[in-house]
Amino acid sequence: TAAVVISALVSLTLTPALCAYLLEHEPANRKPPGRIEQAVENLDRNLLRIYERALDWAMHHRRIMRWQPLTLLILTGLLGFAVAKTAGGTFMPDEDTGQLQVDIRSDANISPQQMTERTLAVAKIMLADPAVLDQLTMLGGDDGGGGGGAVGNSAQMFVDLKPHGSGPGQRKEGIKQVVERLSKHYDLLPDVKVSVSAAQFLGGGGSGDKGGQYEFQLISTSGDDLQPWALKVVRQMRAIKEFRDVGSNFDQVGKQQLMRIDREAAARLHVGIGTIDSALYNAFGQSQVSTIYSDINQYSVVLSVNAAQSVSPQSLLSVRVRNDQGQMIPLSALAKIEPNISPIRVRHHDQLQAATISYNLAKDVPQDRGVKLVEQAAYAAGLPAGIKVDYTGANQRLQQLQSNGMVLLLGSIIAMYIVLGILYESLGHPLTILSTLPAAGAGAFLAMLVTQTQISMMAIIAILMLIGIVKKNAILMVDFALVAERERGLPAPEAIREAALVRFRPITMTTLVAMGAALPLAIGFGIGSEMRQPLGIAIVGGLLVSQLLTLLSTPAIYLWNYDRKIRKAARKERKAEKKRLKALGGQQAAS
């Protein structure tokens, strides 16, 4: 917005002042042009001559040319569908930032010393790779639960790669090739799970669990246990070759001791469940039961069992409880201890139990393809009705882009139509100007299809920019033609033909300048060039196709209202002629 305001101020103030100061009348004794200038002028005249012949043909066959926007609109939809099917879609293009993020996980019951040894083995393989410059390793890390707790069976590694290039000391491969190579090495390591992903400038979000670049959640709306279903989905995904580093927060389990109470024995011995709960809390809950006061201090009295009775889980059974008859009953008479495994943490989303599943994608697999494969894996796992799939992080943003992108485009076109209608005080001329947009969309999607560029937020931004850039071609012609009709009284065909020929050079020059500015983005080089490439490719393709087609279709569409009035007048004249002949025939019959 600020750039638009500043450019408008410059165009309305500084530009006219500079023109008045710098422009001069061409002298009569002007020197003959040089060879380069003469060649450029010849090229300009030849192009204008070719365009003039093509323009005359288009205006003579303007009924055919008026179908061009509708045809291009249909073609735009087909090309967009082809791009989505072949190249795929993503929220943001994957960048080669020269940095990697590595997540290292092992068994939940591992000792810190063993985890350190396994992490060092991972770091040794990383530093041995020829593309790696340096790395930083952090043992432990956030538990993903939002509380900042440390997990002793995990580690994080941040890796700097060598600069991408062909010179000495630089890496020849792209970051995806490096990730693919390292992932194959780490797949051979036992007792440790390593997930390697490229760091992105526009990333983050999601559940907070470390793991793959993409993730989703299984949410239990019925209270069903999520662990078996999450593990089923993970097994289905690991069987699909497009996925890599698939894991869930239920992969990390810890040992648990369950005390199972025999309710029949407890009832027979007249022991209530609440009594057992109170006895266990009094023994191990460290409840404060009294306070001892001295002259200068006070001391809390905490009730607990002897330290020797809390050495092992079996010592729980030595606790005695008082039944309804006042007898002391040992817990061993009505309960037993069973070992069990349990997740090290249980995640919730909107107060509902949730399981997070993260994954990476194999090389050249688009993000939207990964989402469809996730849906297939969830369907194959047979999830019940009480468990639903909820996308988070980058997958959530991709779905928002897919659902809101078309709404954004239609909203911008409607807003532009309203503004142009107010400007020209007409309902037809805005349609003439907006008829240039299908050619720009078709050119953008055609360029993306040829280069296999994914549909992303950057591509949507490029199309929005094209809407503003391309319509100025039609505005230049329509403005000139309207002035010629009002001030000089030219007929509409002569006015629009003169406007097209006079404005051909500025239209061509501004389009070439815009294409030249977008060409370095389309070629793509330097850090983060993958983010800018879709922008440049869509702009260059849209400008090229729209320049070739709209210079011929816009004059034909401009004359639609003129031709309609001519046809309407001709019909009225034919009807009047028929009435006159009919009346003349009646007079002759009467005579």
Side-chain angles (χ1 to χ4, degrees), residues 407-441:
V407 176
L408 181 63
L409 289 174
L410 292 177
S412 62
I413 292 174
I414 293 173
M416 191 174 301
Y417 177 81
I418 295 174
V419 172
L420 291 173
I422 296 173
L423 175 63
Y424 291 107
E425 299 180 354
S426 169
L427 297 178
H429 293 316
L431 293 177
T432 303
I433 295 172
L434 294 178
S435 66
T436 60
L437 302 185

Side-chain angles (χ1 to χ4, degrees), residues 505-525:
R505 184 170 182 176
I507 289 175
T508 304
M509 294 303 297
T510 53
T511 302
L512 290 177
V513 170
M515 290 176 60
L519 194 59
L521 302 179
I523 296 174
F525 52 85

Side-chain angles (χ1 to χ4, degrees), residues 271-289:
V271 178
I273 301 299
T275 305
I276 298 175
D277 182 70
S278 298
L280 290 175
Y281 181 77
N282 291 332
F284 301 98
Q286 295 186 347
S287 58
Q288 181 179 345
V289 295

Side-chain angles (χ1 to χ4, degrees), residues 94-103 125-126 129-132 157 159-161 171-188 194-200 211-214 242-245 359-364:
D94 292 334
E95 299 178 85
D96 189 344
T97 60
Q99 295 180 334
L100 300 178
Q101 291 180 344
V102 184
D103 178 72
I125 295 176
M126 180 65 69
D129 192 272
V132 174
M157 185 181 297
V159 183
D160 286 333
L161 301 179
R171 57 183 170 95
K172 310 300 187 297
E173 316 95 330
I175 197 168
K176 291 185 178 180
Q177 288 80 0
V178 176
V179 170
E180 194 78 13
R181 182 173 64 241
L182 289 171
S183 298
K184 291 180 180 179
H185 289 317
Y186 289 136
D187 287 343
L188 304 177
V194 182
S195 175
V196 185
S197 58
Q200 301 294 310
Q213 184 177 355
Y214 307 103
E242 284 84 358
F243 290 123
R244 298 192 61 88
D245 307 324
Y359 61 93
N360 287 325
L361 293 172
K363 181 184 175 183
D364 298 331

Side-chain angles (χ1 to χ4, degrees), residues 112-191:
Q113 182 179 0
Q114 290 177 315
M115 187 63 198
T116 301
E117 294 174 355
R118 295 178 184 180
T119 304
L120 290 175
V122 173
K124 184 178 180 180
I125 295 176
M126 180 65 69
L127 291 174
D129 192 272
V132 174
L133 181 63
D134 198 4
Q135 61 87 21
L136 171 66
T137 304
M138 298 174 59
L139 288 174
D142 192 354
D143 64 357
V151 180
N153 67 320
S154 67
Q156 295 292 320
M157 185 181 297
F158 304 93
V159 183
D160 286 333
L161 301 179
K162 296 177 181 178
H164 189 200
S166 57
Q170 297 180 328
R171 57 183 170 95
K172 310 300 187 297
E173 316 95 330
I175 197 168
K176 291 185 178 180
Q177 288 80 0
V178 176
V179 170
E180 194 78 13
R181 182 173 64 241
L182 289 171
S183 298
K184 291 180 180 179
H185 289 317
Y186 289 136
D187 287 343
L188 304 177
L189 287 180
D191 303 325

